[in-house]
């Protein structure tokens, strides 16, 4: 590290202001073929230099998405990146290459690369260790072809289910988001790459769930709900990059917020990496935020706030003035290049032009994560289909979702992000459909299919055929949900915000038509957000939820339906009862929940956060505390016993919640402070112990300083936020609140015996 610092200081001393500014810019080559997919429909008048030569004249900070912009083979992508890096080095007096970055939210967003489940499915798995393993696999593929930085994970805590980017988020609980995202950071960076935290901060709290809309949250909600995931990923995950969000928070765009990017991020949290702008967020300060008169002014604002690199191309940073802010940003970029090895003497672009980006090992990982993310919401005993005594002889499969593989993939998967703009059905990888997977799972059953209705539109002409098929079957599997896209081209995804939480198109009517036949219906929802199922679920024999489970999603869902896979996913977001508007998340304060006599609206969900069934019965008993009280800086063991009382194995997600009885500010009725996936064989009993530090009870007080208050708390454990069969009271002692300054204990380790 000392050698890197010395090398960087020597470079800065020799560089002109133009060369320093060159390290803060980027270049994105996009195909000119008008028939190709447009992955950047918002660019408008915000494009950078006309040519690559002009962009690299004084050096270059980043190369944008060499692999992720058009369908290129590994060999062609490696050759293109190698050739561009050579030109960047030649244009630089000091031979400094660029950092190559790519999107990697559901895997490497490139043609032929494995498509893993979307982040909402990571949350449903409640399995940080597996997410870390997946991220490491993604990192190895990126690194194999010469990429240095990945633009993931997304740490936005879901605040409104209508927001199009819910699918990119991990869930509605900050602790779940924080722990899973930090695991992803560790996995990706274990391969030598830089992970990029998105979108700092407040983006998911936009008004009316509209993309890029203003954010009106107060400082307390920001500190308590929206910032902790970023803090954990920096303090304990060591994330190397942060991307500010587009949305203005209380009138200030994060891209221009010195308070967020410098005072908090660097001074308070000790972040030592780079801040990279979201795509065109710098010229947005002029174009949509209107806090700068021109692009140069926008660039000056962003640089002064703490932005180090402008992505995806150089617009506002094209003519930066010399001075300490320019030097500091260039220093940070060069230090990062040093850590990546880009400043090493004799550096040459790496890149395996024969790399297999969708290896059998990758697909096995994708399937494991998909299987663990599928949530069984309800079941009257119809599932599993291959229960003892045989299965159904005829299974009607209904719905477009059952035969359209793109419905398993998130908006940042290559097929939906890029290939959707091209002609043809080539997805680059094999994505077996649910229908194909069910026919494999149920070889002795007849498994016919009827589409019934499209994902969108109002065409009901297929209802009759679907109902007739169902009427002749022993059971009907009706698959409904989303088709992800970008900026209005899908029902879920970036810029695909929903007016309400009704299933898209006429899919709910299709389910009703099949239910009316009297045949038992298994409803399968494959989506990027939760949809209101209150009018449908009570009539169904079973309900299964999958959040864009990726290329192996068909096999995962079919495995759960057949019984080959034990269902173990849990809801990272609640499933609403009614489709109307915004609903509070489970961490609501008392007046945010049902209030008979105060409001006629009941916000209670149909299925709560953390809910999920298995094919067995797990019993909870004997929650005990290591001590009945502890000081405001102490810790206590919280132990709960779980027993599998059934005949099938299970993977129980044991959840621990905290309730603060009296506090100086309004607190949630309960909040998740710990969880652990626990495998249980039939008849097996295990004890799970959570190590709870007093810091885990802290919150921003009246003056916004974080405090641990003396008082009484309830610790409760169970299978969901609303099913907590065991509890105990804990007393935190002391005469006055303890004020926390600097780092604090942010996690609750758990062990199983």
């Amino acid at each position: 590290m000392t050698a890197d610092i010395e090398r960087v200081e020597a470079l800065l001393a020799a560089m002109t202001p133009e060369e320093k500014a060159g390290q803060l810019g980027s270049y994105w080559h996009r195909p000119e073929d008008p028939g190709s997919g447009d992955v950047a429909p918002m660019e408008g008048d915000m494009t950078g230099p006309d040519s690559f030569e002009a962009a690299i004249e004084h050096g270059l900070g980043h190369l944008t998405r060499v692999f992720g912009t058009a369908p290129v083979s590994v060999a062609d992508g490696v050759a293109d990146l190698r050739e561009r890096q050579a030109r960047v080095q030649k244009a630089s007096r000091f031979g400094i290459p660029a950092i190559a970055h790519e999107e990697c939210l559901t895997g490497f967003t490139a043609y032929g690369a494995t498509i893993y489940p979307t982040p909402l499915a990571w949350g449903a798995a409640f399995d940080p260790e597996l997410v870390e393993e997946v991220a490491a696999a993604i990192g190895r593929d990126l690194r194999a072809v010469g990429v240095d930085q990945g633009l993931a994970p997304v740490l936005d805590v879901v605040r409104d289910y209508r927001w199009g980017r819910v699918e990119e988020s991990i869930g509605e609980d900050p602790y779940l988001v924080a722990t899973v995202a930090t695991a992803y950071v560790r996995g990706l960076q274990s391969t030598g790459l830089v992970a990029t935290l998105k979108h700092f901060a407040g983006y998911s709290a936009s008004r009316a769930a509209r993309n890029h809309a203003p954010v009106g949250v107060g400082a307390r909600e920001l500190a308590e709900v929206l910032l902790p995931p970023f803090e954990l990923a920096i303090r304990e995950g060591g994330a190397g990059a942060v991307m500010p969000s587009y949305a203005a928070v209380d009138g200030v765009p994060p891209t221009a917020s010195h308070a967020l990017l410098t005072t908090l991020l660097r001074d308070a949290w000790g972040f030592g990496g780079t801040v990279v702008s979201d795509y065109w967020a710098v010229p947005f300060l002029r174009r949509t935020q209107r806090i700068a008169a021109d692009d140069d002014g926008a660039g000056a604002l962003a640089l002064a706030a703490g932005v180090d690199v402008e992505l995806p191309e150089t617009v506002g940073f094209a003519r930066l003035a010399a001075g300490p802010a320019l030097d500091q940003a260039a220093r940070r970029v060069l230090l990062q290049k040093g850590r990546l090895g880009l400043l090493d003497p004799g550096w040459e672009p790496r890149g395996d032009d024969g790399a297999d980006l969708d290896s059998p090992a990758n697909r096995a990982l994708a399937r494991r994560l998909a299987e663990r993310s599928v949530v069984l919401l309800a079941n009257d005993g119809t599932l599993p289909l291959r229960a003892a005594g045989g299965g159904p002889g005829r299974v009607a499969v209904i719905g477009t979702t059952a035969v359209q593989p793109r419905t398993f993939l998130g908006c940042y998967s290559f097929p939906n992000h890029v290939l959707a703009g091209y002609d043809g059905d080539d997805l680059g990888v094999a994505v077996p459909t649910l229908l194909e997977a069910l026919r494999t799972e149920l070889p002795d059953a007849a498994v016919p299919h009827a589409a019934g209705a499209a994902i969108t539109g109002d065409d009901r002409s297929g209802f009759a055929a679907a109902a007739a098929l169902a009427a002749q079957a022993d059971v009907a599997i009706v698959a409904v949900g989303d088709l992800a896209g970008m900026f209005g081209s899908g029902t879920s995804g970036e810029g695909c915000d929903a007016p309400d939480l009704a299933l898209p198109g006429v899919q709910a009517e299709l389910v009703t038509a099949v239910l009316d036949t009297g045949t038992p219906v298994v409803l399968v929802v494959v989506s990027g957000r939760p949809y209101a199922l209150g009018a449908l679920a009570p009539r169904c024999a079973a309900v299964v939820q999958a959040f864009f489970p990726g290329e192996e999603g068909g096999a995962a869902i079919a495995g759960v339906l057949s019984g080959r896979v034990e269902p173990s996913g849990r809801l990272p977001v609640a499933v609403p009862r009614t489709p109307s508007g915004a609903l509070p998340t489970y961490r609501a304060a008392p007046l945010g929940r049902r209030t008979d006599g105060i409001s006629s609206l009941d916000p209670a969900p149909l299925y709560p956060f953390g809910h999920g069934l298995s094919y067995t019965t797990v019993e909870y008993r004997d929650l005990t505390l290591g001590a009945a009280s502890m000081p405001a800086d102490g810790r206590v063991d919280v132990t709960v016993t779980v027993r599998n009382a059934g005949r099938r194995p299970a993977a129980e997600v044991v959840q621990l919640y905290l309730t603060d009885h009296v506090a100086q500010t309004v607190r949630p009725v309960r909040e998740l402070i710990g969880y652990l996936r626990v495998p249980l064989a039939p008849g097996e009993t295990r004890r799970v112990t959570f190590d709870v530090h007093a810091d885990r009870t802290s919150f921003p007080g009246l003056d916004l300083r974080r405090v641990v208050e003396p008082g009484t708390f309830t610790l409760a454990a169970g299978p969901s936020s609303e099913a907590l069969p065991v509890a105990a009271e804990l007393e935190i002692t002391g005469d006055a609140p303890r004020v926390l300054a600097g780092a604090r204990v942010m996690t609750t380790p758990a062990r199983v015996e």
Side-chain angles (χ1 to χ4, degrees), residues 404-428:
Q404 169 51 273
R406 285 178 54 212
T407 60
F408 292 147
L409 315 178
C411 77
Y412 268 81
S413 66
F414 196 79
N416 287 339
H417 199 72
V418 178
L419 291 179
Y422 289 78
D423 294 332
D425 297 323
D426 179 23
L427 303 182

Side-chain angles (χ1 to χ4, degrees), residues 326-349:
L326 176 61
D327 288 355
Q328 183 62 274
R331 177 178 290 110
R332 290 192 283 244
V333 173
L334 290 170
L335 281 171
Q336 189 158 80
K337 288 188 174 184
R339 288 191 288 269
L340 289 166
L342 301 181
L343 302 183
D344 292 349
W347 178 90
E348 292 183 355

Side-chain angles (χ1 to χ4, degrees), residues 64 87 92 115 134 154 184 231 255 279 464 577 613 622 645 670 688 729:
T64 297
R87 291 165 67 184
S92 167
I115 304 166
V134 167
V154 169
Y184 182 97
E231 184 177 2
T255 302
Y279 283 19
R577 190 177 303 274
L613 304 177
D622 303 331
R670 65 182 61 94
V688 181
E729 288 192 355

Side-chain angles (χ1 to χ4, degrees), residues 242-478:
V242 169
M243 177 180 284
S245 87
Y246 287 127
V249 180
D250 195 23
V252 180
T255 302
S257 175
H258 187 274
L260 272 178
L261 302 186
T262 298
T263 305
L264 178 64
L265 184 64
R266 296 191 184 281
D267 298 344
W269 293 354
F271 175 65
T274 58
V275 174
V276 300
S277 80
D278 208 338
Y279 283 19
W280 295 290
V282 173
F284 278 173
L285 299 178
R286 164 190 66 84
R287 188 176 188 234
T288 64
Q289 308 286 13
R290 292 168 59 183
I291 65 169
D294 54 31
D295 289 335
D296 291 350
L301 283 174
L303 184 70
V307 175
D308 300 311
V309 179
E310 181 183 7
L311 301 182
E313 50 199 344
T314 312
V315 182
F317 278 16
R319 290 168 294 277
L320 294 172
L326 176 61
D327 288 355
Q328 183 62 274
R331 177 178 290 110
R332 290 192 283 244
V333 173
L334 290 170
L335 281 171
Q336 189 158 80
K337 288 188 174 184
R339 288 191 288 269
L340 289 166
L342 301 181
L343 302 183
D344 292 349
W347 178 90
E348 292 183 355
R350 64 185 184 278
D352 177 3
D353 58 12
D356 182 358
L357 301 182
D358 189 34
S359 66
N362 281 6
R363 295 194 70 100
L365 264 180
R367 182 177 290 202
R368 280 173 56 203
L369 182 54
E371 289 175 348
R372 294 187 183 187
S373 72
V374 177
V375 187
L376 178 62
L377 297 178
N379 184 25
D380 68 358
T382 297
L383 296 181
L385 295 176
R386 288 194 315 201
R394 187 173 179 84
V395 179
V397 178
I398 294 164
T400 298
T401 297
V403 293
Q404 169 51 273
R406 285 178 54 212
T407 60
F408 292 147
L409 315 178
C411 77
Y412 268 81
S413 66
F414 196 79
N416 287 339
H417 199 72
V418 178
L419 291 179
Y422 289 78
D423 294 332
D425 297 323
D426 179 23
L427 303 182
V429 294
V431 185
T433 68
L434 177 58
L435 180 63
E436 292 168 341
L438 281 167
R439 286 172 174 167
T440 299
E441 290 284 345
L442 306 171
D444 298 326
V447 187
H449 173 261
I455 302 293
T456 58
D458 59 2
D459 184 359
R460 299 169 176 82
S461 61
F463 282 18
L469 194 72
Q472 299 168 5
D474 299 306
V475 63
I477 296 172
V478 185

Side-chain angles (χ1 to χ4, degrees), residues 4-19:
D4 283 339
I5 294 173
E6 293 175 351
R7 186 183 304 166
V8 166
E9 292 304 322
L11 281 170
L12 288 172
M15 280 179 161
T16 66
E18 291 79 12
E19 288 170 328

